[in-house]
Amino acid sequence: MDRSEIIRWLKEEDPRRLKELYLRAYAVKLKNVGNHVFFRGIIELSNICQKDCLYCGIRKSNARVERFLMSKQEILESSKSALDMQYGSLVLQSGERTDLEFVDFVEDVVREIKALRDSNNSLGITLSLGEQTQETYQRWFDAGAHRYLLRIETSNSKLYEELHPADHSFSERLNCLEVLRKVGYQVGTGVMIGLPYQTVEDLADDILFFKDKDIDMIGMGPYLVHKDTPLAESIQEDIRKKNLELGLKMIALTRIHLQDVNIAATTALQALSLSGREMGLQSGANIIMPNITHTKYRKFYQLYEDKPCLDENASLCRDCLSQRIDSIGEEIGYNQWGDSPHFLKKR
Ligand code: 5AD
Ligand code: FES
């Protein structure tokens, strides 16, 4: 697909034609990554953040959030529950912190998770901890993490600047993606879809960006309002509804254009529709990140409003998800890392 074709599809509104697009993407998915859904149990270990992104509910200027950092013990307990539930992989996510105390803490936690079973090394670890130095990325990699998610948020540097305060840098973020690759991680990135001021041309360029940067994993989802953020006022209800469809189109087009990468059906899709993630799987996604954060912390980690599963615990989410995935005829790859086929082929 070339840029103009991607743009045409992003503008398409005819439900029959869109159905064709999703079916086509699903066929590409089956051919390249099969019908297995891989789980990454996500632990949102802290909402303390030194950044101030204009869209995000845990930005440092939001004084209405109570801040937390899970203890090492709590993180290890959640990790054990992932093992018990046969999730093959974890994602550790948090607000961004670059101080040495935090860097040491994460390194220690990663090492201990990797040592959890006598069989050792049974959980794959993805980190989603923001922009760090090469040294930090290297230390966490050496400790045992092997995948890293760092969304570029938008590949349009102008738009990036509008959505972030002046001390945030698009080029530094880009550079982090390069460094992650150099260190040896499977590199994931992604964008928010339906941001104010964002055009379909921007979104098409996002997909071309993923390809150009040889990205292994994609995590992207609709932009959702958080009322305590400056951007909240500029978005209307009907745009919200359009965003679900736009999110599905982006997954489908990314699958068709990149073929063999891992693509997540993100929680943000589920926030817009109860069955949003299943729709994502049927449009080409193959990864789901069930929340395994302890229920007592979930309400403090709201990057956007209407975040689902705030009151459910990890095992409830597991049962709910397995039913949902059964219902669309897909299989769950329990106890497997489910690495990006694109990455594995390069090796
Ligand atoms: N709506 C949707 N996604 C958001 N994120 C942050 N704030 C929002 C929001 N209001 C996403 C960003 C970030 C990821 C962890 O969550 O893309 O990289
Ligand atoms: Fe949490 Fe369905 S995934 S209740």
Side-chain angles (χ1 to χ4, degrees), residues 55-56 93 151 153 192 222-224 303-304:
Y55 42 82
C56 184
Q93 189 176 80
R151 289 189 179 178
E153 311 299 358
M192 282 176 289
Y223 163 67
L224 295 154
L303 311 185
Y304 44 79

Side-chain angles (χ1 to χ4, degrees), residues 148-154 173 177 186-191 206 209-211 213 215-220 262 264:
Y148 205 103
L149 287 173
L150 182 72
R151 289 189 179 178
I152 193 71
E153 311 299 358
T154 171
R173 205 163 179 87
L177 289 175
Q186 283 175 55
V187 179
T189 194
V191 295
D206 290 340
F209 172 91
F210 301 152
K211 175 104 176 181
K213 297 289 169 197
I215 292 301
D216 305 304
M217 343 182 274
I218 311 287
M220 61 187 167
N262 276 345

Side-chain angles (χ1 to χ4, degrees), residues 327-345:
S327 78
I328 58 167
E330 299 229 305
E331 284 174 50
I332 300 169
Y334 284 118
N335 288 322
Q336 294 175 58
W337 285 6
D339 281 330
S340 164
H342 183 74
F343 180 83
L344 297 176
K345 276 184 215 159

Side-chain angles (χ1 to χ4, degrees), residues 19-287:
K19 182 102 196 281
E20 275 167 39
L21 175 71
Y22 301 146
L23 285 173
R24 180 172 158 197
Y26 195 75
V28 175
K29 161 175 147 172
L30 286 186
K31 179 156 170 266
N32 287 277
V33 300
N35 79 333
H36 275 86
V37 183
F38 296 104
F39 282 175
R40 284 83 173 86
I42 180 164
I43 304 175
E44 298 154 337
L45 59 92
S46 172
N47 62 358
I48 302 170
C49 192
Q50 65 196 37
K51 289 242 162 140
D52 219 13
C53 308
L54 267 59
Y55 42 82
C56 184
I58 63 166
R59 64 201 301 267
K60 75 170 172 204
S61 300
N62 186 1
R64 282 178 222 146
V65 197
E66 194 180 312
R67 305 285 166 169
F68 73 92
L69 168 66
M70 285 171 74
S71 70
K72 186 164 89 180
Q73 216 42 49
E74 288 172 321
I75 298 171
L76 290 173
E77 269 159 31
S78 293
S79 307
K80 277 187 210 139
S81 79
L83 276 173
D84 293 341
M85 292 187 294
Q86 302 182 298
Y87 292 175
S89 296
L90 287 180
V91 177
L92 303 182
Q93 189 176 80
S94 86
E96 193 170 301
R97 272 181 66 184
T98 53
D99 55 286
L100 194 59
E101 188 185 344
F102 185 72
V103 172
D104 288 345
F105 176 77
V106 171
E107 182 182 31
D108 198 29
V109 163
V110 169
R111 268 192 219 291
E112 296 213 15
I113 293 173
K114 293 306 273 189
L116 268 180
R117 283 216 168 147
D118 353 293
S119 61
N120 249 358
N121 207 17
S122 45
L123 277 173
I125 301 184
T126 306
L127 299 180
S128 176
L129 305 170
E131 293 170 35
Q132 303 287 343
T133 62
Q134 176 162 352
E135 192 202 342
T136 298
Y137 286 147
Q138 186 71 54
R139 283 179 58 189
W140 292 346
F141 185 79
D142 294 340
H146 77 296
R147 297 185 286 238
Y148 205 103
L149 287 173
L150 182 72
R151 289 189 179 178
I152 193 71
E153 311 299 358
T154 171
S155 62
N156 177 338
S157 59
K158 279 248 162 56
L159 179 57
Y160 187 93
E161 279 161 27
E162 281 168 42
L163 300 172
H164 298 91
D167 60 339
H168 296 39
S169 156
F170 180 81
S171 63
E172 266 168 40
R173 205 163 179 87
L174 255 187
N175 186 50
C176 282
L177 289 175
E178 308 284 338
V179 172
L180 285 164
R181 157 110 40 235
K182 204 158 56 177
V183 170
Y185 286 96
Q186 283 175 55
V187 179
T189 194
V191 295
M192 282 176 289
I193 300 160
L195 287 161
Y197 322 117
Q198 189 182 43
T199 65
V200 286
E201 286 77 14
D202 291 332
L203 290 169
D205 288 335
D206 290 340
I207 296 177
L208 301 180
F209 172 91
F210 301 152
K211 175 104 176 181
D212 181 52
K213 297 289 169 197
D214 199 21
I215 292 301
D216 305 304
M217 343 182 274
I218 311 287
M220 61 187 167
Y223 163 67
L224 295 154
V225 176
H226 192 295
K227 65 177 179 337
D228 298 337
T229 61
L231 270 192
E233 287 148 30
S234 37
I235 194 154
Q236 299 130 19
E237 188 55 27
D238 60 321
I239 298 182
R240 236 176 100 88
K241 292 205 185 95
K242 280 225 107 138
N243 279 354
L244 173 64
E245 186 167 283
L246 205 50
L248 297 174
K249 286 183 197 171
M250 282 293 285
I251 289 176
L253 293 165
T254 301
R255 173 60 68 202
I256 293 167
H257 197 62
L258 278 80
Q259 309 255 323
D260 57 359
V261 294
N262 276 345
I263 304 178
T266 55
T267 314
L269 288 173
Q270 188 193 358
L272 291 178
S273 158
L274 217 73
S275 53
R277 287 172 307 180
E278 294 86 276
M279 294 180 203
L281 295 175
Q282 289 173 307
S283 314
N286 66 322
I287 302 288

